[in-house]
Amino acid sequence: PGTGKTYVGVQLVRALLKAASGPQPDQDGNHQLLLLLLVTYTNHALDQFLGDLIDSGVPTDKIVRIGARSKSEKVEPCLIRHHYEREGHTRGSGYSRFRFAKARTAWKDAGEVISGLAETIRRARYDGGRSSKAVAMFAIQQKRVQRHLAEDVASGRIAKNALKQKKKQAKQEELPCVTQLKLWLSSGTPRANAKRRALVDKWREEIVADATQELRSAFSAYQVAAGELMEMRATQDRDIMRSASIIGMTTSGAARMQSLVRSVAPPVVIVEEAGEVLEGHLLAALNPSTEHLILIGDNLQLRPKIEEYKLSRFSERGFDLDVSTFERLVGALDAKPQRPGGSLVTLASQRRMRLEISQVIRRALYPELLDHLPSVANYPDVRGMAHNMWFFDHQEAESGGGEAHKSYSNK
């Protein structure tokens, strides 16, 4: 800790970009500059690394930051949506832009149809019983209620004046068709009203059946339009990413967009905080075109986070899912330093901790750790404290741990 891993990583990226002065062909035979994929475990680490690259002189238009969870104003111009804003008006032919607009319109229209049909089904089934708006609209549309009301008036079961009076007394928030339906359902004999209620129930089922059939067609249209949009957006994303020199994304983003990473095919992959990255996430960031994998991290600090204790190394069940590829490789290279296929470089001089703290971790974990003097020896004393370093202890029992918990805690 404090040895400058991120700083060295930034200088390494600059050296690689400078060394790639000549164009290199990609998998399609097109010539382009060296493309680096930078992967970190957290969004904060990604923003910090990219921010340091910008401070070192790398132009923001050469960096593409994937993901919308950036909180850094410095990295904001690198977000892919800003690349779209800068290049979208010129990227692609007129026909491709027309196709995108057409697919987007079809996608939005299908979504609105789905929402409307879902609302129709909800109203028919749950709103207002037999006198729901959907049923009333269906009945009026089919002119069934008007016909039956006319028959009731002609036969004398409903007086004309009574019908007009009922309409006047109807609540303002009710549609006229709902009012007519309620009147019709209560104007006959008990036996006739029962038959009418059964008929309205049948209408309701017809509404649901018809809307469900239309919903299936709308879903199909929505999926087709969404698929076209995703395909065209992926093509645009790939073009923007290939035009850059550095692509930055988190491990979860690399796992989620694995097909896009494979299509971009960056030959160099750099992983920051590699000791905290699950092996599965690391594999997702690799692709058949990967030529150089650089892992930056500390195998003695935090391990990958897993939810099940029994899958961890401490459970001694052999799963060891919280052991990263970085830790495994460090262990293998420590055992056989001359092993072909990899190299291990350790930074030994720390520039962060005051001497009291570095002395403790040197005894516990880092016996070869060196202090960068005199910088770490010139820290002022902590104000208001008798000593610059304290240890707190307690006699309270710990809770948690075991099979159901991944760690212990104190309350």
Side-chain angles (χ1 to χ4, degrees), residues 55-68:
D55 290 339
S56 69
V58 179
T60 56
D61 61 346
K62 293 298 181 182
I63 302 174
V64 176
R65 206 281 200 194
I66 306 298

Side-chain angles (χ1 to χ4, degrees), residues 106-108 110-111 114 217-227:
W107 173 71
K108 290 179 66 176
I114 290 172
S217 301
F219 268 126
S220 298
Y222 183 89
Q223 290 175 337
V224 170

